[in-house]
Amino acid sequence: MTTLFISDMHLAAQRPDVARMVFDFLHVHQAATQRIYILGDLFEAWLGDDAVLPDQQTAIDGLHNLTATGIELFVMHGNRDFLLGNRFEDMTGARLIAQDTVVDLYGTRVLLTHGDALCTDDIEYQAFRAMVRDPRWQQQALALPIAQRIEMAAQFRTMSKSQAGLKPADIMDVNAQAVATTMQQHQVQYLIHGHTHRPAIHPFELSAGGAYRIVLGDWLETPSALICDAHQWRLLDARVAGIKTLQPTIEAHK
């Protein structure tokens, strides 16, 4: 049986083809999958568990169908769907997991995170992130009428797009020192994250020896999945039939 990692689907009503691609891929691998981890930005926007949109309900039903078969589903908040809550867990059968979660992956300690907290060079974004992750801000946002939340989400998206066009690409990528510091704090040699939309396997050196940073792609332009078993980890292009490995496989280390 395998463990599957995906991220950054950004599901939205205007992108029904992306949702079909995601669930077609999951269904193909369903029989061999024991656990699925979604490392943030499942949805382009999540207005609160009390404000589920019709297209989101379709995705929720699809996730519920997966967990009903016995697959364990773990979902992490991203920078687009940070308001996912307990009712989402009830509707899907998923379990929400915290940022910087360490899991035992077939005997190997692995750190999971969405990835946006590692983009420390983007000071403007980090200030915004701190604001929207504040429980007091979230409580106030969820108290707003749904129509006002829709307007606020649209404003955030517009602001994000306009700012991204003005920033150098490297500022919006992870900071190497932030990666090393975070991995050392959690005593791991393996990190899996999304957010940057740049799928790759990056080998590098930590003070404790060789390490790997595995980046999951987004499903709008670079759909990918990391599939792991007790013997190897493969980062796959999810757009093609069969298996196309994007990087050399990582042999599992105990």
Side-chain angles (χ1 to χ4, degrees):
M1 298 296 283
T2 63
T3 300
L4 191 153
F5 298 86
I6 54 177
S7 183
D8 296 274
M9 286 77 81
H10 294 274
L11 300 182
Q14 62 270 34
R15 304 182 191 123
D17 56 326
V18 175
R20 284 194 295 269
M21 179 168 54
V22 169
F23 285 100
D24 285 349
F25 178 85
L26 293 177
H27 289 152
V28 165
H29 293 274
Q30 177 177 331
T33 300
Q34 181 180 9
R35 298 184 185 90
I36 298 172
Y37 288 88
I38 300 175
L39 300 186
D41 287 353
L42 167 61
F43 297 106
E44 176 69 8
W46 185 262
L47 305 174
D49 290 2
D50 61 333
V52 178
L53 303 176
D55 62 291
Q56 294 174 332
Q57 186 61 56
T58 300
I60 286 169
D61 293 341
L63 294 176
H64 181 267
N65 290 338
L66 289 171
T67 60
T69 68
I71 291 175
E72 297 177 79
L73 175 63
F74 303 90
V75 178
M76 182 176 287
H77 295 103
N79 55 294
R80 300 283 186 172
D81 50 13
F82 48 81
L83 291 177
L84 290 170
N86 294 338
R87 187 179 171 196
F88 168 80
E89 292 181 306
D90 294 338
M91 290 186 291
T92 60
R95 185 189 311 170
L96 291 172
I97 57 174
Q99 297 292 315
D100 293 350
T101 289
V102 176
V103 299
D104 183 329
L105 188 58
Y106 305 103
T108 299
R109 282 172 52 85
V110 180
L111 177 63
L112 310 178
T113 192
H114 177 55
D116 58 335
L118 300 172
C119 301
T120 54
D121 293 329
D122 193 344
I123 297 173
E124 190 175 44
Y125 170 74
Q126 292 302 325
F128 171 79
R129 184 183 187 278
M131 178 186 74
V132 300
R133 294 301 183 105
D134 187 319
R136 293 170 298 180
W137 184 92
Q138 293 187 0
Q139 185 177 15
Q140 293 171 355
L142 291 171
L144 296 173
I146 293 175
Q148 194 169 342
R149 283 182 249 167
I150 292 174
E151 182 180 351
M152 181 174 64
Q155 291 174 348
F156 285 165
R157 285 195 298 272
T158 299
M159 179 180 66
S160 175
K161 290 179 181 179
S162 63
Q163 291 178 350
L166 301 174
K167 296 174 182 176
D170 58 339
I171 286 182
M172 295 183 289
D173 203 352
V174 299
N175 175 281
Q177 186 56 54
V179 169
T181 298
T182 300
M183 293 178 70
Q184 289 167 343
Q185 287 174 342
H186 291 87
Q187 300 180 345
V188 298
Q189 302 298 112
Y190 295 84
L191 167 66
I192 304 172
H193 72 84
H195 181 65
T196 62
H197 299 186
R198 302 174 183 183
I201 296 176
H202 300 280
F204 64 102
E205 290 295 322
L206 278 177
S207 58
Y212 287 93
R213 177 171 67 92
I214 304 168
V215 188
L216 304 171
D218 71 292
W219 286 68
L220 306 183
E221 296 183 6
T222 55
S224 63
L226 179 70
I227 297 182
C228 306
D229 60 25
H231 306 289
Q232 63 180 1
W233 305 357
R234 297 169 295 169
L235 183 61
L236 308 180
D237 185 332
R239 291 169 292 191
V240 297
I243 293 177
K244 177 182 178 183
T245 304
L246 297 182
Q247 297 283 335
T249 58
I250 299 177
E251 298 302 320
H253 290 76
K254 302 302 186 202

